[in-house]
Amino acid sequence: MKKLIYTALLLLAATSCNKWFEVEPKGGGTSGSKVFDNEASFRDYMNSIYAGLRTDDLYGSNLTLGGVEFLSQTFRPYAGAEGWTKMDFSDPAAREIAAKAYTKLYAAIYQCNDILELFAAKGDVLFVAGSREMMVAEAEALRAFLHFELLRLYSPAYAVDNTVSNILWIDGTKSAGVQMTTAQLTDKVISELAAAATQLSRYDPIVTGVSYDDTTLIGTEPASRVWKLNYYACRAAEARALMSKNSPESYGEAYKLLDKIITEGGYGFVRTVSGTDYSFSAEYIFALPSSDKGFCALSEELFDPAKKGVTLSAQLDVNDLNADDRRRNWFDSDNTMRTKFAPTSKLDKWNTVPGIPVIKIGEVYLMAAEAAAKSNQLATGILRFNDFAEARNSESLKLPETATAAQLETAVDLQYRYEFMGEGVRFHYCKRLNQTVTAYDGSQIAEVGKKSLPIVK
């Protein structure tokens, strides 16, 4: 059944998600499996994995607004961040970011493996029918998703060199890992995500509409599945991996998945800022609950003239957006995007900080437009892009039916500059396509597809 459009932003119960341990990638901790004797303990553990992903070293800053977003040249960097922003990954600050992200992404993978082993070992624990199956599939999907994140950050783009063997596939707590090439690991990620999605299609409340339990922990009822790697997020992640292969066949397979999300997911765009926050959380397919201050505090730290004083790059111009485009609200008089992650929500009955967007419906539409065009379905790609432009109240951006593939690519590229400001998405797009990027100071950064964070031992 179609997923309902949820406009209520649900909160993660931080008291339950932060009480578990932190571990290193290859051990160094124990799950204390003797306490896993009920379903709530498994849900607690699952929540703790996501809580780890929202830290500043990962999606709470360095992989999004406070780090990777600088690589897409959205901002003029503050003093000391120039080397990182221009993709000099030998810079000490870059090496520190790289080391922490690498360790913590593998730590999260370890936790996924740990909970999967606990599910296998604790077969006698009673679960609400379907809940165990959902969480097992979700943990498997999240493990694959995190491996692909490592691949996107620490290896050259697939289209540039798919023979590099930088990232280990690890699927056990005692495993030393399997060294794979980019090509092999990408195929592994795709197959794992596809298998997990098949299971999630049967058991995920976001698909079935049936809640497992609405009285305890987050992530077991349809509306709260946005905070977990749900069925539709799994399909979008699979499409990302397929598109990285840069072949007409893989683009065609990706389009099928993206079309499924668009036609069956029930997602919609924010057409007015009334009743929502400025980060448009109603458009999230997969997000991480922010900490108590989270992106709000980070945004203030970055954009307050009395603090970091970061401003938007000259490449971004509010006049590129239609007068009625809701994204214009992100720009302020100080030439920042401070309002996007404003300190208070505009949601009725809530006073919350914005979540951390990981996958949004806008990316699905833009990927679908690109994937269709690159799999010999140009007319469909134009249609998907025009649907996106209309949803953004920017009908003047719509392309004519006679538009060329190059014109569509230019239009999509422009939207990547605006749609994901502060989210770290555009860098991965530029890297996948091996673009030459104009830096914040007007210089050219060539061969972006070859850029990869150092694996610091």
Side-chain angles (χ1 to χ4, degrees):
M1 62 176 291
K2 283 193 174 184
K3 186 182 77 67
L4 299 175
I5 300 299
Y6 297 103
T7 57
L9 183 63
L10 302 183
L11 296 176
L12 180 66
T15 53
S16 67
C17 73
N18 289 324
K19 70 181 184 180
W20 291 96
F21 56 92
E22 292 185 2
V23 296
E24 294 302 315
K26 296 182 180 178
T30 174
S31 64
S33 58
K34 62 181 181 297
V35 305
F36 283 79
D37 57 1
N38 59 64
E39 181 170 352
S41 60
F42 281 88
R43 292 188 188 177
D44 264 332
Y45 192 178
M46 187 71 80
N47 286 341
S48 77
I49 300 174
Y50 290 97
L53 297 179
R54 69 180 184 170
T55 63
D56 286 350
D57 291 332
L58 294 178
Y59 298 95
S61 178
N62 286 349
L63 300 188
T64 51
L65 174 62
V68 170
E69 184 63 21
F70 282 82
L71 305 179
S72 63
Q73 311 308 311
T74 307
F75 309 133
R76 300 190 67 84
Y78 55 87
E82 297 89 350
W84 164 261
T85 302
K86 295 189 76 170
M87 304 185 202
D88 176 9
F89 296 142
S90 65
D91 181 84
R95 291 177 64 81
E96 181 178 1
I97 290 171
K100 289 181 177 178
Y102 184 82
T103 298
K104 292 204 171 182
L105 285 169
Y106 266 121
I109 288 170
Y110 177 98
Q111 288 183 297
C112 289
N113 290 328
D114 192 39
I115 197 170
L116 287 168
E117 290 175 1
L118 286 166
F119 275 118
K122 298 284 186 174
D124 57 338
V125 175
L126 295 178
F127 285 78
V128 176
S131 177
R132 177 197 290 268
E133 290 83 356
M134 178 193 72
M135 283 193 280
V136 167
E138 183 185 320
E140 291 172 341
L142 185 59
R143 177 177 64 189
F145 174 88
L146 295 170
H147 277 94
F148 190 63
E149 292 295 273
L150 284 159
L151 196 59
R152 295 203 298 173
L153 290 165
Y154 295 91
S155 289
Y158 190 110
V160 172
D161 187 354
N162 62 25
T163 66
V164 173
S165 300
N166 284 352
I167 304 301
L168 291 170
W169 172 265
I170 300 179
D171 59 7
T173 58
K174 302 295 191 295
S175 171
V178 179
Q179 198 81 45
M180 293 186 178
T181 65
T182 293
Q184 292 169 334
L185 185 54
T186 301
D187 285 342
K188 178 67 171 175
V189 165
I190 291 168
S191 65
E192 290 283 317
L193 287 170
T198 297
Q199 282 291 88
L200 287 169
S201 69
R202 301 183 184 121
Y203 299 108
D204 195 331
I206 208 168
V207 178
T208 66
V210 178
S211 172
Y212 289 114
D213 189 340
D214 60 4
T215 63
T216 56
L217 299 175
I218 196 166
T220 56
E221 57 180 341
S224 66
R225 290 297 293 161
V226 66
W227 303 120
K228 301 296 177 69
L229 195 69
N230 60 72
Y231 169 76
Y232 292 110
C234 186
R235 286 305 196 192
E238 186 182 347
R240 279 180 175 177
L242 281 162
M243 290 178 70
S244 75
K245 298 179 71 172
N246 197 35
S247 71
E249 296 76 19
S250 61
Y251 279 119
E253 289 302 309
Y255 180 76
K256 292 176 185 176
L257 298 175
L258 297 164
D259 181 64
K260 191 177 184 69
I261 298 170
I262 291 169
T263 58
E264 296 181 11
Y267 294 94
F269 286 81
V270 170
R271 301 299 294 268
T272 171
V273 295
S274 176
T276 186
D277 51 5
Y278 283 123
S279 67
F280 306 160
S281 58
E283 298 180 6
Y284 294 173
I285 294 177
F286 173 38
L288 295 167
S290 181
S291 60
D292 290 343
K293 295 182 179 179
F295 266 25
C296 300
L298 178 59
S299 180
E300 289 297 298
E301 175 69 22
L302 288 173
F303 303 125
D304 187 336
K307 296 180 181 178
K308 297 286 190 184
V310 170
T311 58
L312 291 170
S313 166
Q315 299 175 55
L316 295 169
D317 184 351
V318 67
N319 293 317
D320 283 338
L321 304 175
N322 272 23
D324 291 332
D325 193 315
R326 300 303 90 183
R327 294 172 296 176
R328 291 175 71 100
N329 291 279
W330 297 344
F331 294 81
D332 65 14
S333 58
D334 292 325
N335 192 34
T336 80
M337 49 152 278
R338 196 173 180 181
T339 57
K340 182 175 182 180
F341 299 108
T344 56
S345 171
K346 296 175 70 68
L347 288 169
D348 293 339
K349 300 180 182 178
W350 292 93
N351 184 24
T352 71
V353 296
I356 303 168
V358 182
I359 303 174
K360 299 193 311 184
I361 190 60
E363 184 181 2
V364 169
Y365 271 82
L366 292 175
M367 286 197 299
E370 179 190 355
K374 291 181 176 177
S375 58
N376 302 312
Q377 305 173 78
L378 178 58
T380 300
I382 293 170
L383 176 63
R384 286 300 181 210
F385 178 81
N386 288 345
D387 288 343
F388 169 85
E390 183 174 351
R392 282 284 173 244
N393 295 339
S394 289
E395 293 199 17
S396 67
L397 298 177
K398 292 171 72 171
L399 297 170
E401 294 180 0
T402 55
T404 65
Q407 288 172 321
L408 174 59
E409 185 172 350
T410 298
V412 168
D413 183 86
L414 179 63
Q415 292 311 305
Y416 265 88
R417 294 179 187 272
Y418 293 94
E419 182 70 7
F420 311 108
M421 292 198 318
E423 299 174 27
V425 172
R426 184 170 183 260
F427 167 70
H428 295 296
Y429 167 79
C430 295
K431 180 176 177 178
R432 171 168 61 81
L433 297 179
N434 193 25
Q435 292 186 349
T436 294
V437 172
T438 301
Y440 66 91
D441 61 359
S443 62
Q444 299 295 297
I445 304 175
E447 297 183 310
V448 170
K450 291 185 177 180
K451 304 291 185 182
S452 55
L453 299 186
I455 298 175
V456 182
K457 302 297 185 182

